[in-house]
Amino acid sequence: MDEQKRPLTTVQWFPGHMAKARRLIEENLKVVDIIVELLDARIPLSSSNPIIMGLIGNKPHIIVLNKADLADSGITREWIKFYKRMGKSALSIDSVKGKNIKELTQTIARLTEKQTSRFSAQGAKARSARAMIVGIPNVGKSSLINRLAGTIAAKTENRPGVTRAKQWIRIGKNIDLLDMPGLLWPKFDDPSVGLNLAFTGAINDDVYDKSNVVLSLLDFLRIHYPHALQNRFKLTELPTTNEKLLSIIGEKRGYLVKGGTIDEEKTITAVFTDFRSGRLGKISLESPQA
């Protein structure tokens, strides 16, 4: 196996810009009033970085489940209830279409009112709320900021690790938002966490063995969302193995090479793309009851 494409259980993902992101968060915590933690609604547990949680301490904290348009809506509602039972502020959003964005800004204003109003109580002009937005790579931070700011304020690309420096962005008249680079943790001790991050694109596809990971994704879908596979790939029934399923998908897409075998690389990319884009339907990989 290529040294650069190892099983996820052995991947150590902490390049230089990840270490820099951690330092930036630590250095700027004291200048913000609230933390906006952006999670992937499909994998709230796997996309919640324990390093970030350890850094923010007792700062006011909003949990925001982004990409709710891609997640199973019933399960997302259960997650919101779960967090609220724990006494946390939580809401789901779709940063691309703008769903619940107004609710997010209202929540930021409400939770920072104590900090911002103390200046006016002393006769000075009330200052803007200062919010820090944190999250793992590819969770949609740049898309959210652009939606909030109403302009192309942050560089957006559908690959992990693009935003690598801090940015202050003015949101309306009353919120200053500090964007932080995406931050993953050094090693995935729980194999399911690494898989979920790979499925959703939080880990660069070039650093792990995609063949095994795509089979794991197909296995999950066969068990929990079989109709999504049948509908997307026009199958009357699912084959008995994940390997056969991948082969059938390649054949149906016409991804064949000399000799009639499937082009595995193209087929794997197609499965990942269909899942990550929502073409397979609304799918959640984690639920509070699991």
Side-chain angles (χ1 to χ4, degrees):
M1 181 181 296
D2 190 328
E3 177 63 24
Q4 299 302 314
K5 296 188 177 182
R6 298 163 289 172
L8 278 164
T9 51
T10 65
V11 168
Q12 302 260 344
W13 179 262
F14 211 68
H17 67 271
M18 292 291 177
K20 180 181 178 183
R22 177 173 180 163
R23 289 195 301 271
L24 279 171
I25 292 173
E26 288 178 306
E27 292 166 1
N28 289 280
L29 275 171
K30 60 182 176 295
V31 302
V32 298
D33 305 309
I34 193 167
I35 305 297
V36 178
E37 184 186 15
L38 202 60
L39 305 180
D40 188 320
R42 298 166 294 180
I43 53 167
L45 288 179
S46 294
S47 59
S48 181
N49 187 339
I51 290 177
I52 291 175
M53 293 309 301
L55 292 175
I56 67 177
N58 296 321
K59 284 275 184 184
H61 176 211
I62 306 173
I63 293 173
V64 180
L65 302 183
N66 194 26
K67 304 190 179 184
D69 57 310
L70 303 177
D72 187 316
S73 55
I75 293 178
T76 298
R77 286 192 294 271
E78 290 301 313
W79 277 113
I80 297 298
K81 293 176 184 176
F82 170 81
Y83 288 120
K84 289 186 175 179
R85 285 196 300 268
M86 296 175 64
K88 298 180 181 293
S89 294
L91 68 154
S92 63
I93 66 168
D94 173 357
S95 61
V96 175
K97 296 179 181 177
K99 181 181 178 182
N100 287 347
I101 297 299
K102 185 176 180 180
E103 182 182 351
L104 173 57
T105 57
Q106 290 172 340
T107 303
I108 292 173
R110 175 172 55 83
L111 294 180
T112 58
E113 186 176 5
K114 181 179 178 180
Q115 293 96 317
T116 58
S117 62
R118 65 182 178 178
F119 291 89
S120 56
Q122 298 170 359
K125 182 180 178 182
R127 70 162 171 79
S128 299
R130 295 171 181 168
M132 177 188 289
I133 183 168
V134 297
I136 66 172
N138 210 35
V139 78
K141 291 193 294 91
S142 296
S143 296
L144 172 59
I145 291 167
N146 291 337
R147 170 64 64 171
L148 287 167
T151 183
I152 305 301
K155 185 176 180 180
T156 305
E157 287 190 33
N158 187 28
R159 59 187 178 90
V162 170
T163 305
R164 298 191 179 183
K166 72 175 184 178
Q167 303 181 73
W168 279 104
I169 300 102
R170 171 55 63 94
I171 307 299
K173 295 181 180 179
N174 301 315
I175 299 174
D176 289 325
L177 191 64
L178 179 59
D179 180 25
M180 288 284 111
L183 176 62
L184 279 177
W185 46 110
K187 185 179 179 181
F188 311 125
D189 294 320
D190 182 346
S192 66
V193 170
L195 284 172
N196 285 337
L197 293 172
F199 295 160
T200 56
I203 306 172
N204 192 310
D205 289 334
D206 294 332
V207 303
Y208 61 84
D209 181 4
K210 290 186 289 187
S211 299
N212 287 329
V213 171
V214 78
L215 293 177
S216 295
L217 175 58
L218 290 175
D219 190 59
F220 176 89
L221 296 172
R222 280 161 49 85
I223 295 170
H224 298 281
Y225 295 93
H227 295 301
L229 289 169
Q230 290 176 275
N231 293 338
R232 177 61 181 167
F233 300 114
K234 298 179 173 57
L235 304 172
T236 55
E237 60 181 8
L238 296 177
T240 56
T241 68
N242 301 314
E243 289 83 357
K244 182 61 176 175
L245 177 56
L246 184 67
S247 181
I248 290 173
I249 292 170
E251 291 169 3
K252 283 187 167 289
R253 289 290 175 88
Y255 297 149
L256 302 175
V257 296
K258 190 174 181 180
T261 58
I262 68 162
D263 185 322
E264 187 176 84
E265 183 72 20
K266 282 188 177 180
T267 307
I268 289 171
T269 299
V271 172
F272 282 153
T273 300
D274 281 357
F275 169 71
R276 294 169 184 172
S277 66
R279 292 173 194 154
L280 278 169
K282 295 177 178 290
I283 293 169
S284 292
L285 299 172
E286 296 175 330
S287 70
Q289 290 79 26

